[in-house]
Amino acid sequence: MIHKKLGDGIEIIYPYNAINASLNSNFHNKDKYQIVFFSCHGKGNEKHSDVIRNYLNKYQIIPDFFLLNGDNFYDSGVENIESPLFKTCFEKPYAENFRNQFFFPILGNHDYGEFFLGGLKNLFLFRKNRSSPQAQVQYSTKSKNWYMPGFYYSIKDTNHIFELFCIDSNTILFHEKQQEWLKNKVTNSKAKWKILVSHHPLVTNGHHGSEPDVIGLHNYINENFQKNSNPNLKFHLFIAAHEHSNQVLIESANSYQIIVGNCSSKKPAHVNKRQNTLYCSAEPNDFSFGILTLNKDNIICDIKGNKSDYKFDYDKIKNFQKDLSPIKFNQSDFIKNASIINASIQLNPDLSLSLEERKIYLQYLYDEIEKSSLHWNQYSHIGIFARRYDELKKIDQLLVNAKIYVKNFNQIKDSNLPWLELWTVVENLYVYISDMHYYCLKIKEDHEKKNKESKRQEALQSLENRIYGIYNIFYYILIHFYRSKNVPENSIHEQALSDLYKFEAYCNRCRIEKGYRTIKKLKYFIGHKKDKKKPES
């Protein structure tokens, strides 16, 4: 039996004297660390391990350790430390290829057993087998390379360059002890870079995006950390999994999320490239992995594989965002264009809202989007097979996505709807509405240039008016949100407009990063793709 300290909340500090120091002695007085990470590898594919080994050997990289981001054993975890899956899914494909490396795993949903329906609520329902997540902790005493000290733990270096907060995202939403541990650890951390490691992502453009686990984790982290007034509580980077794809996403201002889950243990799942996407890939037989390089000045992450090749540079992306031109909003533009809102919606920015009225706001948003969609489908001549404008198709899809988002959010809410969650709805829904607006303006601009009359112009104008109505609902929600936070009355309206400015600036930055050029139209900076030059005949 190998002696290792076990227990939830263990802090691993390098050099770590509880492990045989002969395994790896590279941790003393370093100013740069390299960490290999991947996830959803639970079938133990030796080809995946070979791709990693060949790349590391080719570029003479000796990683400091490996992170395993969950779903370590498909499909239903392990029952005990004698399970043959430890050998077939870990020892043979990975430990034998990297004999002098530590592997630090966290738990994924499959490590709790295969649920009939999946999702957080089904942790309490019948499972197909008697899977034991605790067996993965206990296996640390049997394996030289495997070390999972507990369901949640932290890893940091002695030079305060980084600290990894490895959580159990399957249980943290109802596990108060883990929540208290995380908040205390992050608050007291002296690390330059604070990185949250979880199985479930905070945001994703894959098919898991509407799951209660994902939405719940996003809201919990944002409410308690990212939007907290204490700057010590903010994470710089999120490393996640769950999706069988690779994604690099903008999570919020100066924080980003990296998902590396396309290890080819499972069939890759489709991923949409949306406004918050810096990189995405879901190619078959990719056998991908990530290499995180950390020093006191920057975070670099290389995503590699048979078909993946992307370099994330934290400092470069952060500075790029900071240098973008500001976008001005005018309060009167929101107010004067609000007349399209249904007359039955009584919005009063001078009153605080009860819990029930907060929920009604969600219904307001859904109703307005539903009416916009019905009118658009009726008058935009959607039945014509040949749509000349790609923008028309994009408006169709954005309306569908916006409806699904608000409807799904409404369905998973219980009797309590915190203000912050309503604020999050505005933040996320704004992306759909902003893109919808600029596609409307792009089509109108094309018509004006060509002096062209179109049967769709009435539908476009009506949709644009309703978009102004939705902006107005956003505006009032933000006013009420800041009133609930006891913000002085004389600065509430300014703060609400400032948030709308930030949302639009974020959407604009994403469009620029995707290769759009910027033009000015009305009060917005609207981006659209450069026209492709037709080949000369």
Side-chain angles (χ1 to χ4, degrees):
M1 180 177 289
I2 300 172
H3 174 68
K4 296 173 184 172
K5 290 174 66 176
L6 302 181
D8 290 340
I10 288 288
E11 182 180 76
I12 299 174
I13 307 174
Y14 289 111
Y16 187 61
N17 58 13
I19 306 179
N20 183 357
S22 64
L23 269 176
N24 195 328
S25 59
N26 294 328
F27 305 113
H28 298 264
N29 300 318
K30 294 188 63 167
D31 57 8
K32 184 178 80 170
Y33 293 86
Q34 290 187 292
I35 303 163
V36 174
F37 66 96
F38 50 85
S39 63
C40 306
H41 51 282
K43 287 191 178 295
N45 195 318
E46 291 187 43
K47 291 182 180 179
H48 179 232
S49 182
D50 290 340
V51 169
I52 299 173
R53 182 190 60 190
N54 292 338
Y55 182 87
L56 297 181
N57 289 342
K58 179 179 178 180
Y59 293 98
Q60 298 182 339
I61 298 172
I62 303 176
D64 294 295
F65 56 88
F66 283 65
L67 275 177
L68 307 181
N69 271 59
D71 283 358
N72 306 310
F73 303 99
Y74 283 129
D75 280 312
S76 305
V78 293
E79 297 185 22
N80 53 58
I81 63 172
E82 302 302 327
S83 170
L85 292 179
F86 280 113
K87 182 174 182 179
T88 58
C89 297
F90 172 69
E91 296 290 347
K92 188 174 181 181
Y94 296 110
E96 289 185 9
N97 265 340
F98 306 99
R99 295 180 182 274
N100 294 323
Q101 292 290 338
F102 299 130
F103 289 78
F104 294 98
I106 60 172
L107 296 168
N109 55 300
H110 282 275
D111 297 310
Y112 274 89
E114 186 177 34
F115 311 123
F116 285 115
L117 298 176
L120 178 65
K121 60 185 178 182
N122 296 298
L123 282 171
F124 304 103
L125 301 182
F126 177 76
R127 298 198 293 256
K128 281 188 177 181
N129 72 342
R130 292 180 172 272
S131 64
S132 171
Q134 184 62 32
Q136 296 194 38
V137 176
Q138 295 299 325
Y139 188 70
S140 302
T141 64
K142 186 175 180 179
S143 171
K144 172 185 173 183
N145 304 90
W146 178 281
Y147 188 18
M148 184 190 290
F151 285 21
Y152 53 93
Y153 56 94
S154 65
I155 308 173
K156 68 180 184 180
D157 70 303
T158 55
N159 294 324
H160 306 300
I161 292 175
F162 74 90
E163 186 160 6
L164 308 177
F165 305 90
C166 304
I167 65 170
D168 180 3
S169 59
N170 299 280
T171 63
I172 192 170
L173 297 183
F174 54 84
H175 191 189
E176 291 184 7
K177 186 177 179 181
Q178 185 180 177
Q179 293 176 7
E180 292 173 5
W181 168 84
L182 182 61
K183 196 161 189 175
N184 289 335
K185 286 292 296 177
V186 177
T187 302
N188 297 319
S189 175
K190 298 179 181 178
K192 166 74 174 181
W193 305 114
K194 298 178 182 180
I195 302 172
L196 186 72
V197 181
S198 67
H199 179 71
H200 293 89
L202 277 73
V203 290
T204 171
N205 294 336
H207 68 287
H208 289 305
S210 60
E211 289 182 0
D213 311 73
V214 175
I215 295 174
L217 184 63
H218 175 273
N219 293 339
Y220 166 71
I221 294 298
N222 272 277
E223 180 176 353
N224 292 281
F225 297 91
Q226 299 307 93
K227 297 187 185 304
N228 196 294
S229 58
N230 183 354
N232 291 332
L233 278 172
K234 290 178 171 56
F235 296 102
H236 300 94
L237 184 66
F238 302 92
I239 295 178
H242 201 40
E243 296 283 6
H244 300 156
S245 60
N246 301 328
Q247 303 178 45
V248 180
L249 308 174
I250 301 172
E251 204 288 319
S252 59
N254 296 334
S255 65
Y256 308 89
Q257 179 183 256
I258 298 174
I259 298 173
V260 177
N262 190 13
C263 302
S264 302
S265 275
K266 289 279 190 175
K267 183 179 179 181
H270 177 70
V271 57
N272 298 305
K273 188 169 184 179
R274 294 174 181 160
Q275 288 78 3
N276 63 338
T277 308
L278 297 175
Y279 173 77
C280 64
S281 172
E283 297 292 333
N285 299 316
D286 192 9
F287 304 113
S288 50
F289 61 98
I291 304 176
L292 196 63
T293 303
L294 301 157
N295 59 45
K296 64 180 180 179
D297 298 318
N298 202 6
I299 301 174
I300 302 291
C301 181
D302 293 287
I303 299 177
K304 299 295 182 181
N306 282 340
K307 301 174 183 178
S308 291
D309 187 8
Y310 177 78
K311 187 183 189 71
F312 168 83
D313 186 317
Y314 179 91
D315 191 58
K316 182 178 179 181
I317 292 174
K318 183 185 73 171
N319 289 331
F320 174 77
Q321 289 183 310
K322 185 169 42 177
D323 292 340
L324 290 172
S325 302
I327 303 165
K328 300 293 184 182
F329 280 82
N330 188 306
Q331 180 175 345
S332 61
D333 287 325
F334 287 96
I335 304 302
K336 73 183 181 183
N337 289 289
S339 58
I340 291 299
I341 297 180
N342 190 308
S344 64
I345 301 177
Q346 301 299 322
L347 297 170
N348 185 351
D350 297 324
L351 297 175
S352 61
L353 291 179
S354 67
L355 176 64
E356 206 53 44
E357 288 170 320
R358 284 178 231 165
K359 293 180 184 177
I360 292 172
Y361 261 116
L362 280 177
Q363 193 61 47
Y364 288 168
L365 286 172
Y366 182 79
D367 289 345
E368 281 302 300
I369 293 169
E370 176 69 18
K371 291 169 188 172
S372 301
S373 180
L374 290 173
H375 191 276
W376 174 254
N377 291 343
Q378 183 177 359
Y379 293 103
S380 69
H381 298 267
I382 198 170
I384 299 175
F385 290 105
R387 307 286 299 248
R388 285 194 62 185
Y389 292 99
D390 285 341
E391 286 82 1
L392 290 172
K393 298 176 184 177
K394 290 173 181 175
I395 290 173
D396 300 339
Q397 189 59 52
L398 286 163
L399 280 165
V400 171
N401 291 344
K403 280 201 307 181
I404 291 173
Y405 176 79
V406 179
K407 187 175 182 180
N408 286 348
F409 196 95
N410 225 344
Q411 287 176 342
I412 68 168
K413 301 318 299 171
D414 52 23
S415 59
N416 185 22
L417 181 65
W419 263 116
L420 192 71
E421 296 199 2
L422 194 56
W423 193 96
T424 302
V425 173
V426 173
E427 183 182 32
N428 293 334
L429 192 58
Y430 193 98
V431 175
Y432 297 121
I433 304 305
S434 173
D435 268 9
M436 212 182 302
H437 192 188
Y438 102 76
Y439 286 132
C440 282
L441 295 176
K442 173 62 170 64
I443 298 172
K444 287 176 65 178
E445 182 190 53
D446 288 346
H447 286 174
E448 290 171 4
K449 285 181 178 178
K450 299 173 183 177
N451 195 22
K452 177 183 176 181
E453 294 291 331
S454 170
K455 294 180 180 179
R456 297 193 184 96
Q457 285 176 319
E458 180 185 348
L460 288 166
Q461 187 59 54
S462 174
L463 181 59
E464 188 179 351
N465 289 339
R466 287 198 175 274
I467 286 171
Y468 277 116
I470 295 169
Y471 284 147
N472 202 55
I473 297 177
F474 290 163
Y475 173 67
Y476 284 143
I477 289 175
L478 294 172
I479 287 175
H480 289 300
F481 170 74
Y482 284 110
R483 183 168 285 116
S484 74
K485 298 295 183 182
N486 298 317
V487 173
E489 285 293 323
N490 59 358
S491 61
I492 283 179
H493 294 269
E494 181 181 347
Q495 186 63 53
L497 288 170
S498 175
D499 278 354
L500 290 170
Y501 148 72
K502 290 175 183 175
F503 296 159
E504 182 65 24
Y506 165 78
C507 294
N508 191 52
R509 285 196 299 267
C510 292
R511 288 193 279 265
I512 292 172
E513 288 166 1
K514 288 165 58 178
Y516 291 67
R517 66 182 177 86
T518 304
I519 60 171
K520 189 172 183 180
K521 183 72 176 176
L522 300 180
K523 66 180 187 303
Y524 296 97
F525 282 93
I526 303 300
H528 63 80
K529 288 188 175 180
K530 297 178 181 178
D531 296 328
K532 294 181 179 179
K533 292 183 179 180
K534 295 182 179 179
E536 296 181 2
S537 55

